[in-house]
Amino acid sequence: MKQSTDTILMIEPVAFYFNAETATNNYFQQKPSESQEEIQAKALAEFNDMVKLLRDNGINVITIKDTLNPHTPDSIFPNNWISMHDDATVGLYPMYAENRRTERREDILEELEKNGFEISTIVDYSSAEEEEIFLEGTGSLILDRENRLAYVCLSDRSDEGLVIEFCEDFEYTPIIFTANQTVNGERLAIYHTNVMMCVADKYVVICLDTIDSKSERKMVIDTIKGSGKEIVKITEDQMHQFAGNMLQVNNGKETFLAMSKSAYDSLTDDQIAQIEKFDKILAPAIPTIETLGGGSVRCMMAEVFLPKE
């Protein structure tokens, strides 16, 4: 089983904007000073530049346009509601913000099938929303697909019981811990695991400083080392520039690590050299999407591991 895929699903924004419902516990979001029209225009340009960069490097990008109705300001981040697996299974996930729940669209699954991908089983956890229980896809779950490990930092958006249910259904071992960031002098839970760590085939980029418990930090380090992967440490300041929000992709011949320009600019020469031992770096500039959406490059890409029919 491969850790990275050569096919990515991305949702083209039509009304991207600051989402007040997600800002309650996403401390990466910043309120806008521009009009919704100006912000949408900038976000669309950033989206298109990122798609072009991926395609120019041989990565297959399937883009599907969002709809104006219902209004889904965060639809640009599809990895939170869907995961796709090489046994033709799709996972659908319960979302914390009510205005994100309509991002789950049946027509997107139909479009994937039109593109020749096989979907044989859908595992739908979305009914957990009725009980205020959430697990936001590969925002919550960082999957080491080769070693069947699921790393999760618990938060309002990542419920422990649902993590365990996912792991039973998909045959992963849960690696559960708590990760915090400093917000106005307080240590508060990080909303998604994918802003503090990224698992690639031969290495893991991770902000260990966010794991305040020494025993949990040791458990995570030991698990990563036991899986045979090298650790690339980032600081909490770098994490706040989205240096943890990265994704390894491939074009069938070589692998890449996708990250934002702000993440790249935060890295030291030594960290860049450590990554470039393994992968070429792709670093599109997406400042509007990052600052208003509170998510970065990884959040914008839903990995398509589905088999071709």
Side-chain angles (χ1 to χ4, degrees):
M1 185 182 297
K2 295 181 297 183
Q3 177 62 27
S4 67
T5 179
D6 62 1
T7 303
I8 297 295
L9 168 68
M10 295 179 67
I11 305 300
E12 180 184 322
V14 295
F16 175 79
Y17 198 60
F18 176 84
N19 188 351
E21 287 188 30
T22 57
T24 57
N25 55 23
N26 179 345
Y27 309 113
F28 292 80
Q29 285 180 255
Q30 298 175 33
K31 289 184 178 179
S33 58
E34 299 168 290
S35 71
Q36 184 166 351
E37 291 75 18
E38 291 172 311
I39 287 163
Q40 162 60 21
K42 288 184 176 181
L44 181 59
E46 292 171 9
F47 175 90
N48 287 336
D49 287 347
M50 178 172 159
V51 170
K52 183 178 185 301
L53 179 64
L54 292 168
R55 287 176 173 164
D56 285 350
N57 283 277
I59 295 143
N60 180 31
V61 183
I62 300 168
T63 62
I64 297 176
K65 201 167 188 173
D66 189 20
T67 56
L68 281 170
N69 191 17
H71 177 47
T72 51
D74 277 337
S75 60
I76 203 168
F77 303 133
N79 83 306
N80 298 142
W81 66 265
I82 188 170
S83 67
M84 292 164 273
H85 304 264
D86 69 351
D87 61 354
T89 301
V90 167
L92 301 178
Y93 297 91
M95 308 284 278
Y96 173 82
E98 283 189 31
N99 67 1
R100 294 207 63 189
R101 297 172 190 174
T102 49
E103 291 176 31
R104 294 187 300 259
R105 288 166 45 192
E106 193 172 326
D107 66 299
I108 290 176
L109 302 184
E110 292 168 357
E111 189 63 32
L112 289 166
E113 289 180 315
K114 286 179 188 173
N115 275 268
F117 292 99
E118 181 187 349
I119 298 174
S120 63
T121 306
I122 295 176
V123 183
D124 189 351
Y125 301 104
S126 62
S127 63
E129 289 165 351
E130 297 166 15
E131 302 170 58
E132 298 291 303
I133 293 172
F134 311 108
L135 184 67
E136 297 196 332
T138 53
S140 300
L141 299 153
I142 305 302
L143 302 179
D144 181 338
R145 293 174 185 260
E146 294 169 308
N147 294 292
R148 311 303 290 178
L149 302 171
Y151 294 89
V152 182
C153 67
L154 299 178
S155 72
D156 290 342
R157 306 196 196 188
S158 304
D159 176 79
E160 184 169 9
L162 210 46
V163 172
I164 291 167
E165 186 177 340
F166 166 88
C167 288
E168 289 173 349
D169 291 340
F170 285 85
E171 298 182 346
Y172 278 79
T173 299
I175 310 299
I176 297 171
F177 55 96
T178 301
N180 297 306
Q181 63 189 121
T182 299
V183 182
N184 299 323
E186 279 188 89
R187 295 295 277 171
L188 300 176
I190 291 172
Y191 80 108
H192 277 162
T193 320
N194 76 359
V195 295
M196 57 79 62
M197 73 179 293
C198 156
V199 173
D201 57 352
K202 295 173 183 168
Y203 61 98
V204 173
V205 179
I206 185 168
C207 183
L208 292 167
D209 294 344
T210 63
I211 307 175
D212 295 337
S213 163
K214 290 181 180 178
S215 61
E216 287 188 350
R217 192 183 315 138
K218 182 179 185 304
M219 179 268 293
V220 170
I221 291 170
D222 289 348
T223 303
I224 294 169
K225 288 181 176 177
S227 70
K229 298 182 192 290
E230 187 173 312
I231 294 176
V232 180
K233 294 181 185 177
I234 58 171
T235 67
E236 193 167 328
D237 284 344
Q238 290 173 323
M239 182 194 73
H240 285 130
Q241 299 303 312
F242 295 98
N245 197 247
M246 305 171 171
L247 183 68
Q248 187 181 46
V249 293
N250 73 73
N251 63 7
K253 298 176 183 176
E254 57 185 330
T255 53
F256 305 86
L257 189 65
M259 67 184 73
S260 70
K261 185 177 184 297
S262 63
Y264 180 82
D265 289 345
S266 78
L267 298 178
T268 66
D269 290 344
D270 286 346
Q271 288 168 322
I272 291 169
Q274 194 178 2
I275 291 167
E276 288 184 334
K277 284 192 306 183
F278 305 105
D279 289 329
K280 178 183 175 182
I281 293 173
L282 303 178
I286 55 163
T288 306
I289 295 167
E290 284 181 320
T291 53
L292 272 72
S296 188
V297 161
R298 195 277 167 266
C299 304
M300 295 169 66
M301 296 186 283
E303 300 154 280
V304 182
F305 282 94
L306 298 168
K308 282 277 194 175
E309 291 177 328

